[in-house]
Amino acid sequence: MGNPVEIREWNLQGLPTDGVSINNGVMVSRGKRWPLMIDPQAQGNKWIKKKEGKDLKTLKMTNPKMLLILDGCIRTGSPLLMEDIEETLDPALEPILLKAVYETNGTLKIKLGDSEVDYDKNFLFYMTTKMPNPHYFPEVCIKVTVINFTVTFDGLEEQLLNEVVSKEIPETLQKRVGLMLQLADDKKVLKQLEDKILKLLSESQGNILDDLVLINTLGESKETSTAVNERVAAAEVAAVQIDAACKQYTEVATAGSILYFVVADLANINPMYQFSLFYFVRIFNTCIDKARKSPDIDIRMNNLTNQILSGIFQNVCRGLFEDNKLTCSFIIATSFQRHNQEVSPAEWSLLLRGIGLLDMSEKPPNPDPDWLSEKMWDYMYAIQMYSPDRCHDICQHITDHLEEWKEWVENDRPHLLPLPRAYDEVNMLNYFQYLLLLKGLAPEKLVFAIQEHTRRCLGENFIIFPTATVAELYADSSRSTPIVFVLSTGADPTSALLRFAQDLDMASTMGIISLGQGQGPKAKKLVDEACKKGTWVLLQNCHLYKTFMPELEKMCEILEESLTVHKEFRLFLTSMPAVYFPVPVLQNGIKLTTEPPKGLRANVLRSFLPMTEDQLSDSSKSSAWRKLQFSLKFFHAVIQERRKFGPLGWNIRYEFNDSDLETSTTITHNMLELDGPIPWDTLLFVIGHINYGGRVTDDNDRKCLLAILEKYVSPPLLEQDYVFSSSGTYRCPQDSDVLDLEGWRKFVSSFPLSELPEVFGMHDNANINYMSQEADKVLDVVLSIQPRDAGGAGGKSPEDIVLELAAGQEQNLPLPISDESAHPDSFAVNAETGLMTSLGTCLSQEMARFNRLLKQMTVTLNQLQKAVKGIIVMTGELDDMYNSEINNQVPEIWTKGGIGYPCLKPLSSWFQDMLLRFEFFRDWVEKGIPIAYWISSFYFPQGFLTSILQGFSRLNMIPVDQLSFEFVMQDTDNVDDLTEPPEEGIYIHGLFMDGAAWNYVDMVIDDQQFGTMFVKSPIINFIPWQDKKTNFDKYHIPVYKTSVRAGTLSTTGHSTNFVLKIEVETERLPAYWTLKGAALLTMLND
């Protein structure tokens, strides 16, 4: 359908040269309906703008003058491009989309709004959307031609191949273009001759043989046809040779295409990780130019691939936060492996999503249930089934050589050791199988294996991330390319930028504005002046001025298009991550993330940087002042670094900053200058409750903060042998009274590079927990950006897997809980008052909640199956549910609006847990009050405990506000050991201890065993108690529903995730357990 000459013209106007894009171009120009282009990379948008030139008018649906501009274009026949279309179209566009043109008095007209408009036949209408996956309803699709301009892997590979060929063998590309144009001309000549012959034949009269013109034309046609056919044959031979020459560089283009799709997906991790295709191609071409030359094609190809990989990665990496750099490297490494089929879809899905659909009927017996949990053994069996080529006998091998496998797993660095009995060599494992084995057997060591896997696949440069300098950014920038500093709390790039500006003599003329309300006009004026004079502009804190962002986008567009901007002009922007920051600015700008240093040593060292010698000794109580300054800096670093342990460190991640430290230091100085002894209690209150405590919203976090502060602001601090950690590694220097500022910095520099949990008062298991979280974080981020596909399950399609999962879940759904066959005790009614007991009311409320969940699951599972089969429309909610089923996640449609209960388990575990909850409540309803209550099963355990107190209150005529619980720990955690209810109160079971264990000999809270993260809590006897007095010698261990611990702050001042505190006996001070983050959980994550 496409004319080669016309297509060549489109390519020159910016249409990509791959087949998909050319087909799209044909559809745009030949389609009967107006085109709606899905164009996230703006390829179609830029082509239309160049194709239509200056006559084109551009418009957005948000423009208040939309109808007026439409009116003008329709009357004058000007082409119109409507950009950034959303999922719904303005009803006013209906007549235009339907081309509802009619004739009145010989004039074409169309209805637009309330008026009739003269219609010019030359009018063209284009629409584009940047949404990568819009859901257009059928009523929209039937009115437009939906054209997907989203770049495809093969399409981009073809584009990049043309880029490589144009630089490496440009003469070959010119030959290809020449052949194409020659063939087009030849076909045109033949067509003209055919038309001429047909015309002469139709006009000929009498004997055809007497028509000399016709005879001559036929002869000429034969000669021309013979010549053309010879040229076509020669062209076909040449085309094969040209294609062979071009295909030598396919490997380079493939590497570029793989890289682009990794880079494009990064925007799903953080809204600031935006990179346009045009920006990517520009870097790609720069890398080709930088790659080392070689006459040997294989060496040259290797140089090109390596340069493209490292060059693009370094360029992208400097715009990523530290947490995401290894993730990016890992995605690149595994993308190449999956493309080369070194990693199967089933193995990839097993690493990210878990086991999924797998028949466990032939699973061999677990050789050591004490060491290998059932879930770990299931995972080993899954590896055996999903990696049959290499791990077909892994379960048998572990069983036969159990002790050797234990040694391998318990080694500090199993990721660097060969597998027991050289299993990796014998079975020719690639390193990806190591990842699977470590995820199943030692997930806390998986993050090191991910790092090693990336190093082996890509090299050291992809796991060691150098810090980019402002000079490097400046070298890559231009007058039209803004430099964007992506901020994080505690980091400010301004000083580094000013130092660089000083070196280039630009600091004196540099304009700096911190954006905020009313600063927009000033910023515009400053940029306009700088464009003329060639100076620099820094616009700080763009995230604070949301309404100015569209204006900022326009300013950057003008910079890109204008030819009058001074070549020395540069625009610098700083912003925290924000979804409303202009995407085009991010895509085409140069980005650099700025983060404060990580680690205790770096944090303390950083707080010494702005200090002077005068500040160090400026006190009448110099000795105490020096130690207190240091201890406050150390305290500030500890509470910040404690955040890395997640909920074990803080329930809520607080953003403590330098102003907290400065204020606390100033107040401490003022307090020391008062006459009399040091007011320790006042310092503790002001620093702990006000300066730092003002940020803390969780009551248990406040207790933790004060427990930490007491280590650093207390009289023992002034003693010579006082240490901050049990190992003695962290302390004040011995000569703190005379040490100068440089001496303090050297002392801090002597601290270990990475700190052990003991400095935070935490167990060594906290590090295991931290490493597991880091590995989960990497895998969760990788999973979050995966396209909709699934591996494994015998090569089934994603649709088949979802249908099988949904049908299986629907089939296994329990029946609703009904009170028709209820036991008399379950909903007992008080004979005197005629009211149901508090416990019965609680049961009926829980029953209603579970039945509501069941109803929602029944309806949505049925709808999902119909939607996948195409019987009903796949709505946004059902689409999300589809993705959740594929990714083994609980669908949001089951949990939103209070339908579901808080739970962090994956879908497979969640479903089994849900069945057990139904079973518990069904037994309660039908068999009467249980001997012990499974507290984990309740939607609202707080309400259940309140109902126990209310029942006791009504029975004994005691005001409920005078009641609380006394707790008696039992000597077992197994509910089957109980034969009857307690004499007083109730038994509670199902809790897990996090950050602590239980000593059944002394019946006290105790330290965990190394490597054992959670243990079952003893069964607890909850006894209602009147006017109970708090015992501060016991540890008040908080109970949380999930391991996240954080929730919504309720009116009680507690998180909605918080249930209550239980007093437990302890041989240590309660603060010891507070620092360890010891708590009880109603459920685990899996």
Side-chain angles (χ1 to χ4, degrees), residues 153 156-162 164 249-258 284 308:
F153 184 88
L156 181 59
E157 189 178 51
E158 201 175 327
Q159 284 182 46
L160 296 179
L161 182 60
N162 286 327
V164 179
Y249 295 90
T250 302
E251 184 186 317
V252 180
T254 303
S257 193
I258 291 170
F284 183 85
I308 286 164

Side-chain angles (χ1 to χ4, degrees), residues 48-101:
I48 294 296
K49 285 181 177 177
K50 285 188 179 176
K51 176 175 175 285
E52 299 298 344
K54 293 180 181 178
D55 294 335
L56 182 73
K57 301 287 188 294
T58 57
L59 172 68
K60 292 188 179 179
M61 277 180 64
T62 52
N63 192 320
K65 296 181 179 177
M66 182 182 79
L67 289 179
L68 197 63
I69 296 168
L70 271 168
D71 186 312
C73 290
I74 291 169
R75 287 179 191 277
T76 58
S78 301
L80 176 67
L81 171 62
M82 187 170 277
E83 301 175 302
D84 299 344
I85 294 283
E86 296 295 326
E87 290 186 342
T88 54
L89 299 178
D90 193 313
L93 297 174
E94 185 98 354
I96 299 171
L97 299 179
L98 294 173
K99 295 190 176 179
V101 180

Side-chain angles (χ1 to χ4, degrees), residues 354-374:
I355 297 169
L357 281 173
L358 183 63
D359 181 7
M360 294 285 181
S361 59
E362 296 183 14
K363 182 182 69 173
N366 188 338
D368 187 351
D370 292 337
W371 178 60
L372 284 166
S373 70
E374 207 52 43

Side-chain angles (χ1 to χ4, degrees), residues 37-43 129-132 148-151 587:
M37 292 170 261
I38 300 170
D39 191 25
Q41 287 90 19
Q43 292 189 116
T129 177
K130 288 180 182 174
M131 298 172 72
N148 192 354
F149 263 87
T150 306
V151 68
Q587 286 186 335

